[in-house]
Amino acid sequence: MKRPLTLIAKARGSPVRAYLSASALPETRRRTPEWGGAALSRNPLAAGTRAGAAPPWLAVQAALMSLVDSRVRSDWWDSPSSLFLQFDEPIDSKVCRHLIRRYTGQGKHLHSVFVFVQMQRVGVRPDSFTFAPVLKSVARLCLREMGRSVHAYAAKANFDGDVYVGTSLVNFYGGCLLIGDAHQVFDEMGERNSVSWNALITGYTHNRKFAEALDLFREMQADGVEPTEVTMVGVLSACAHLGALSLGKWIHEYIDCHGLSLNEFLGTSLVDMYAKCGAVMEMEKAFVAMRIKNVYTWNALISGFAMNGRGEAALQAFSRMMMENLKPDGVTFLGILCACCHEGLVDEGKRYFRIMKDEFGLCPGIEHYGCMVDLLGQAGLFSEALHLVQNMDLKPDPIIWRTLLGACRTHRNVPLGRYAARKLLELEPTNADNYVLLSNIYAQDSMWDEIAQLRAMMNQKALAKVAGCSSIEIGNAVYEFIASDCLKPEVHDLLDDIRKELKQVGYAANTGLALYDIEEEEKESSVAFHSEKIALAFGLIRSPPGSTLRIVKNLRVCQDCHVFFKLVSLVYKRGISLRDRNQFHHFAGGSCSCRDHW
DNA sequence: CTAGGGTTAG
């Protein structure tokens, strides 16, 4: 139960600690308590009790506030338990509903859930309007069992036929990574509208089931339900993750033709979709076309440039953003540091890392340190990198150590590599990638005994590597290939032919790292049939001559494939864009946009 | 009075 909580919290950008307790209700970490200990006059709810125009929800609020005043408890709002412990009067369900709405609206999700629970305790019956906000809070906290019992309660009270309640339930299950349950609730809903469809589709994208999200989008249309802006945000996000450029372009046209409003959400999704499909020009056009932009939009643009190897454009975008007086946030600097990293701009990176704290008062997160470690490590500045890791005010996570280990491989630094690997395996002993990475370092220096030891450790733990998988979009279809896949003879032969041809311009297979790979399957297929090469060969056969080949890979590209792709772009005069796990490689005329730095 | 949305290291 703990793990999915972290996952969803990370996905939603609000780290939480979820422990239900009556005495202490910890809140989302980033939020400073607004009402805690403060004078009651600072309570926004108290506004209505002052003289002047009264807001519409005044009646209930005023009643609440006078109750509060009579009890003289200024911390009342921060500890809703006092509502139930101290008041002799029977608690009204309207009061509870408002309380829950306010708490959820303020991001005080545990308070909201707590009030709901207390309502059951003292026998106050919620109405159908109470379920939506409490389910939102339950979803945010990823309290799965709690959500299930809320669901059961709603069913018992016959509220589950309500579209609002049903849609909230779909959203809850989807948000807690229980997409099967979300779909089931959706199927059983008596009444559905576009909002319910949207909840289900975004649920699928949250659960990283992108292809299924697109299927649902088709189903929705077949059902005669018009997509809305929110639908398109979800669908574009799925396109972005899949690298499905042609569908993304189709959505863009649909938006224009059907007069969907290009608001911040939709515009940002478009920018991000083009960025993640490697279509930098279209990304810029989509960005320029937007009327209203906010920090999300700029962040999508900046990281879009960064991941496409356009570091200088990312930095320029940042200065334009400054000129428009927009306040950058942590994500902005993540994009910037990432850009510096890909460009190898060590001093620039250090400068931005400094000004993010000094000028903008932003506290660097582990991700920012991760970028810095990568930046320093890839530049070969090992003592600085290590110093940063050992002196940062956050506990280094596995990614930090793996980044350092990766830099050690690039620069063949065995001693530091051993150290980083030891730290890494302490934290993450069951991740096969870690062993492979260290084994690659040993392989470079022909340290066979160490490699044998690693192999034994892996066998003992029965660790398996993630299979390499590449996809290529041709026309309106996406084709997927797995390394060591059964090859079509035509593709196999073509790969042979290509290899022969490339050898004439100086290609020599770089199998060094793969030969000592630990996975049996990998050894058999070796680098010659890495999934991206198969996709490339397939693309050369099937796509119209001269068109750009777009390939998406789930892992990072290996040295050999990188050289291979560069030469194919030269010899066959084809533009190729390869999306890595990390970034884009745009190949043309024998060179790559990453300048061999990745 | 209620439901659905965008950016994020390695």
Side-chain angles (χ1 to χ4, degrees), chain A residues 478-495:
Chain A
V478 175
Y479 302 86
E480 220 170 54
F481 303 92
I482 297 170
S484 79
D485 215 350
C486 292
L487 279 185
K488 285 190 171 185
E490 48 169 344
V491 175
H492 190 283
D493 292 348
L494 182 68
L495 269 177

Side-chain angles (χ1 to χ4, degrees), chain A residues 117-414:
Chain A
V117 171
Q118 292 303 313
M119 285 170 76
Q120 328 299 304
R121 287 242 172 101
V122 301
V124 178
R125 301 177 64 82
D127 59 12
S128 73
F129 294 85
T130 313
F131 283 91
V134 82
L135 278 168
K136 185 186 266 183
S137 287
V138 167
R140 267 312 146 82
L141 298 168
C142 206
L143 301 172
R144 298 176 172 190
E145 294 317 308
M146 174 72 69
R148 285 191 197 281
S149 50
V150 172
H151 183 181
Y153 190 7
K156 217 167 140 190
N158 274 330
F159 290 137
D160 57 341
D162 185 296
V163 199
Y164 288 88
V165 175
T167 305
S168 299
L169 283 168
V170 170
N171 191 46
F172 154 71
Y173 283 118
C176 290
L177 304 184
L178 297 166
I179 193 65
D181 297 84
H183 207 136
Q184 196 182 336
V185 171
F186 180 84
D187 282 341
E188 288 166 3
M189 280 170 73
E191 189 193 343
R192 287 173 199 161
N193 56 24
S194 60
V195 181
S196 334
W197 277 99
N198 295 344
L200 188 63
I201 290 176
T202 53
Y204 270 90
T205 60
H206 268 143
N207 284 259
R208 308 191 63 81
K209 295 186 180 285
F210 305 116
E212 291 87 340
L214 297 182
D215 289 339
L216 277 170
F217 174 59
R218 285 181 204 105
E219 244 182 82
M220 175 183 182
Q221 288 175 295
D223 227 37
V225 182
E226 286 283 314
T228 69
E229 285 86 357
V230 181
T231 320
M232 294 320 201
V233 169
V235 173
L236 283 171
S237 160
C239 291
H241 284 281
L242 293 168
L245 181 61
S246 45
L247 180 59
K249 281 182 170 165
W250 185 87
I251 302 285
H252 194 169
E253 277 173 41
Y254 186 101
I255 290 166
D256 288 345
C257 297
H258 289 73
L260 293 187
S261 82
L262 203 65
N263 59 24
E264 300 100 307
F265 287 97
L266 193 48
T268 304
S269 303
L270 266 178
V271 169
D272 182 54
M273 181 277 292
Y274 282 125
K276 291 209 172 77
C277 289
V280 184
M281 295 246 287
E282 283 89 341
M283 171 183 81
E284 290 186 81
K285 268 191 240 161
F287 180 84
V288 170
M290 285 174 66
R291 283 282 169 82
I292 356 158
K293 298 161 184 148
N294 59 17
V295 63
Y296 284 85
T297 321
W298 283 93
N299 290 351
L301 182 80
I302 289 171
S303 60
F305 278 130
M307 77 176 83
N308 280 282
R310 296 275 305 275
E312 64 316 316
L315 300 185
Q316 279 166 21
F318 180 77
S319 32
R320 270 188 286 145
M321 183 180 174
M322 294 299 93
M323 286 192 288
E324 306 219 347
N325 279 326
L326 263 154
K327 226 176 101 144
D329 64 6
V331 179
T332 317
F333 280 100
L334 213 47
I336 289 295
L337 293 177
C338 186
C340 293
C341 212
H342 292 323
E343 296 285 308
L345 298 169
V346 178
D347 292 333
E348 284 287 86
K350 284 186 195 167
R351 192 172 68 82
Y352 282 112
F353 190 64
R354 203 172 46 241
I355 67 170
M356 105 176 241
K357 286 180 282 192
D358 296 350
E359 278 181 37
F360 297 96
L362 295 165
C363 185
I366 193 90
E367 325 84 87
H368 300 94
Y369 283 107
C371 279
M372 290 308 290
V373 171
D374 198 27
L375 180 65
L376 297 169
Q378 294 296 343
L381 301 167
F382 285 108
S383 50
E384 256 185 274
L386 186 61
H387 184 264
L388 186 65
V389 173
Q390 290 174 331
N391 292 287
M392 54 195 234
D393 45 9
L394 295 161
K395 187 184 179 319
D397 65 358
I399 299 172
I400 295 277
W401 292 115
R402 194 156 47 237
T403 305
L404 194 59
L405 188 57
C408 291
R409 179 182 61 177
T410 306
H411 294 278
R412 303 178 66 145
N413 186 335
V414 177

